Amino acid sequence: MPGSFLEISQAGPIGVVTLNRPAKRNALDESAIAEIDAYFSSPPEGVRVIVMRANGEHFCAGLDLREHHDKARSAVEFMRVCQAWHRAFDKIQHGGTPVVACLQGAVVGGGLELASAAHVRIADASTYFSLPEGTRGIFTGGGATVRTARILTASRMVEMMLTGRVIDVEEGLRIGLAHYVCGTAANPRKAFDLGLEIARKIASNAELSNYAIVSSINRIADMSSTDGLFAEGLMAAVVQTGADVQSRLGDFVDKRAHKVKPQSATA
Ligand code: 1HE
């Protein structure tokens, strides 16, 4: 879908989507959500891993507050807005393609909901997180009560929302909002550089393993233990009999494969 919010490019198996509304701190209006939905509904041919990043100093300032203010939506209208966000972000989380989010500056409100739908979150040293909805007289509506609460625990999310406090990047790393922090304030490194490196590594996994990882683990977390174990067995039965298995395990059996050791210990 042609639009102005997302910049789209591709480098081999890596699709890059860039939020491109930096003058408004990449705030998400209705058309931005529609573009996200369209891209993640059917990623371009050949894309095996998606890197999501943002232009400007901030990843995303969340819901477009001006649009919401000016439209003065009814309850039903805003319910529909939320459902559109849920649909779009579900496609990120459950679309079957690994998504690596590269973060900087503000990752707040709906921006944190967007980042929470990605599978790997890489922050640079300028990144901070907040859920300021309570302070604005509103509530989360883009999936935070499900996705962000699972990352944080419900208890931490309640505290974050009640206080509206800003969480710096180190605390964000400690509580799981970021998986990696790259660079320091004195020696900055762009999250995108590390994001591409990690995306390439993910792309070298068997495609079916990646599909199983991003499609089943979050869903199994919603199931009872009995259902989850059954679903895991089914998933593993499909993956373990996939096309790449004989050659990849053959490499191990014939001692051609890498060993699982700390980086400094590998030759
Ligand atoms: C926006 C938005 C926005 C900036 N909607 N226009 N999110 C928030 O509560 C965060 C609101 N934003 C901020 O606190 C700050 O803008 C930032 C800390 C992110 C960045 O500060 P700064 O000094 O770099 O930029 P700025 O001067 O505040 O903003 C630059 C422009 O972006 C300005 O517009 P301009 O026309 O005056 O130039 C801002 O109005 C505009 N802008 N953020 C609309 N969010 C499904 S429910 C989800 C619920 C939520 O996401 S609530 C969280 C809302």
Side-chain angles (χ1 to χ4, degrees):
M1 181 183 106
S4 55
F5 181 70
L6 287 186
E7 252 177 31
I8 293 166
S9 63
Q10 189 171 342
I14 316 294
V16 179
V17 271
T18 307
L19 316 189
N20 187 31
R21 200 188 177 203
K24 299 292 178 187
R25 306 316 183 238
N26 299 313
L28 300 167
D29 59 12
E30 289 180 19
S31 63
I33 295 296
E35 283 186 46
I36 293 171
D37 189 314
Y39 180 85
F40 286 94
S41 292
S42 80
E45 193 64 32
V47 164
R48 292 185 52 188
V49 180
I50 295 166
V51 175
M52 178 166 60
R53 64 168 174 175
N55 283 335
E57 286 177 15
H58 300 281
F59 176 72
C60 178
L63 176 71
D64 188 317
L65 297 172
R66 175 171 291 280
E67 181 187 62
H68 187 58
H69 173 266
D70 292 352
K71 286 197 166 174
R73 295 162 170 129
S74 68
V76 169
E77 283 166 346
F78 198 69
M79 183 74 191
R80 293 204 170 111
V81 168
C82 292
Q83 287 170 325
W85 283 53
H86 295 160
R87 275 195 303 276
F89 293 4
D90 260 1
K91 286 171 187 163
I92 298 175
Q93 187 174 30
H94 296 303
T97 306
V99 179
V100 177
C102 304
L103 310 176
Q104 75 270 6
V107 183
V108 303
L112 179 52
E113 295 179 302
L114 175 60
S116 298
H119 306 106
V120 179
R121 288 176 296 281
I122 302 170
D124 78 12
S126 70
T127 307
Y128 62 92
F129 306 92
S130 183
L131 290 171
E133 283 84 346
T135 67
R136 305 262 187 235
I138 56 178
F139 190 64
T140 58
T145 58
V146 174
R147 293 190 185 91
T148 317
R150 289 228 174 115
I151 295 167
L152 287 171
T153 75
S155 160
R156 276 210 185 94
M157 179 173 160
V158 170
E159 182 277 328
M160 258 180 91
M161 288 201 72
L162 286 175
T163 61
R165 78 185 166 97
V166 167
I167 295 198
D168 67 23
V169 75
E170 290 306 330
E171 184 178 359
L173 179 68
R174 190 163 53 73
I175 64 180
L177 293 177
H179 298 108
Y180 300 79
V181 176
C182 63
T184 59
N187 189 11
R189 184 184 184 201
K190 284 206 165 111
F192 182 57
D193 297 338
L194 181 58
L196 270 185
E197 207 176 297
I198 289 173
R200 287 195 197 101
K201 190 168 180 355
I202 295 171
S204 72
N205 294 339
E207 195 169 4
L208 196 53
S209 295
N210 280 343
Y211 181 85
I213 292 164
V214 299
S215 300
S216 68
I217 296 173
N218 284 304
R219 284 199 175 95
I220 287 173
D222 284 340
M223 297 179 189
S224 68
S225 297
T226 307
D227 292 343
L229 293 174
F230 184 70
E232 182 190 68
L234 281 179
M235 192 75 253
V238 173
V239 178
Q240 259 78 312
T241 52
D244 286 4
V245 171
Q246 285 307 317
S247 70
R248 286 184 185 244
L249 296 191
D251 285 347
F252 179 77
V253 170
D254 297 336
K255 305 202 179 302
R256 286 189 303 267
H258 76 284
K259 295 188 180 184
V260 183
K261 288 187 173 177
Q263 222 158 31
S264 57
T266 49

